[in-house]
Amino acid sequence: MRRPAVLSLLAATTALTLAFAAPTRAAEDAVVIPAPAMDAAPANGIQTAVVAGGCFWGVQGVFQHTAGVVNAVSGYAGGSKATADYHTVSSGTTGHAESVEIKYDPKKISYGKILQIYFSVAHDPTQLNRQGPDVGTQYRSAIFTTSDEQKKVADAYIAQLNGAKVFNKPIVTKVGALEAFYPAEAYHQDYLTLHPTQPYIAYNDIPKVENLKKLFADNYIEKPTLVSASKATN
């Protein structure tokens, strides 16, 4: 079921859901995984990582609570500019994946650490063309690399995790070069922070942030780095 349908159903049945005691954990639990054996070399200046792992609300929320991230923007990657809008992408026919562009300070967090958080708490990398209740290629697991070094690190890490069998099933994450990233509509930005009690967010995404705090305490920040704040300071 696509998220638009899920949201309309949730809006109509929130009271009923609460009456039966809303669940307190996400559909997929976080997995404790080793750090990457290979990481990107230290660099100066703000770097960019782009990842996709289901609904961008939760992925954005996780990285907005990650130290060293200076901005995390929900958007679309993998398709053309002409079809980079939510309604069209939701058809699953555009080639896009709901993605998050992560701008980060490599002196505070490495590319490898971003991938460790991505694979561990941000999504389940063993689900093919879906994530939790959301089904379609637009919800696929994908890493869009911005350099040859990023591709080498991502490919090596996937091989490392598959070799160690840290997941019950093989990782299906696709790694490929980023051609373009298109920011999503304004109402999708900072969605987790703005709507923490919305049932979809409360069930699927808030637990991801809680797992970040639990498993990556040294990388967790309580106050999220919001897109709206970034725009206000620029």
Side-chain angles (χ1 to χ4, degrees):
M1 182 181 294
R2 289 172 29 224
R3 189 166 77 255
V6 173
L7 291 180
S8 62
L9 287 173
L10 286 172
T13 61
T14 299
L16 181 61
T17 300
L18 293 176
F20 282 94
T24 57
R25 66 177 182 83
E28 297 89 28
D29 291 325
V31 178
V32 177
I33 63 176
M38 176 190 298
D39 206 340
N44 294 318
I46 302 303
Q47 304 293 307
T48 300
V50 177
V51 298
C55 171
F56 43 29
W57 296 339
V59 178
Q60 181 192 47
V62 165
F63 287 105
Q64 288 183 324
H65 281 277
T66 300
V69 172
V70 299
N71 202 12
V73 177
S74 290
Y76 314 105
S80 70
K81 181 178 181 180
T83 55
D85 66 88
Y86 184 66
H87 176 75
T88 311
V89 170
S90 292
S91 71
T93 62
T94 68
H96 291 97
E98 289 197 11
S99 306
V100 175
E101 180 189 66
I102 303 161
K103 299 286 188 179
Y104 67 98
D105 184 346
K107 295 185 182 300
K108 297 180 179 179
I109 187 170
S110 71
Y111 182 66
K113 178 61 69 174
I114 286 173
L115 294 186
Q116 186 181 14
I117 292 170
Y118 164 72
F119 283 121
S120 175
V121 304
H123 85 308
D124 178 352
T126 70
Q127 294 194 30
L128 181 63
N129 294 332
R130 68 173 298 156
Q131 200 67 204
D134 302 317
V135 180
T137 57
Q138 68 272 31
Y139 300 115
R140 66 189 181 273
S141 176
I143 298 171
F144 297 93
T145 58
T146 61
S147 67
D148 290 340
E149 182 181 42
Q150 283 192 357
K151 186 177 190 312
K152 290 178 181 177
V153 171
D155 285 339
Y157 196 25
I158 291 172
Q160 175 190 340
L161 295 176
N162 278 332
K165 292 181 168 56
V166 297
F167 295 98
N168 293 328
K169 296 182 292 183
I171 292 171
V172 297
T173 308
K174 298 297 184 182
V175 179
L178 177 70
E179 294 185 3
F181 175 83
Y182 306 101
E185 296 81 353
Y187 67 89
H188 284 301
Q189 307 302 338
D190 306 334
Y191 199 92
L192 182 145
T193 297
L194 295 174
H195 308 282
T197 61
Q198 196 250 49
Y200 181 98
I201 293 292
Y203 178 65
N204 293 289
D205 296 333
I206 293 297
K208 296 178 181 181
V209 177
E210 293 171 347
N211 285 327
L212 174 70
K213 183 177 181 178
K214 178 181 178 182
L215 299 182
F216 296 93
D218 291 342
N219 303 102
Y220 173 81
I221 54 173
E222 187 71 30
K223 182 180 179 181
T225 304
L226 301 180
V227 174
S228 56
S230 175
K231 290 180 178 179
T233 57
N234 290 334

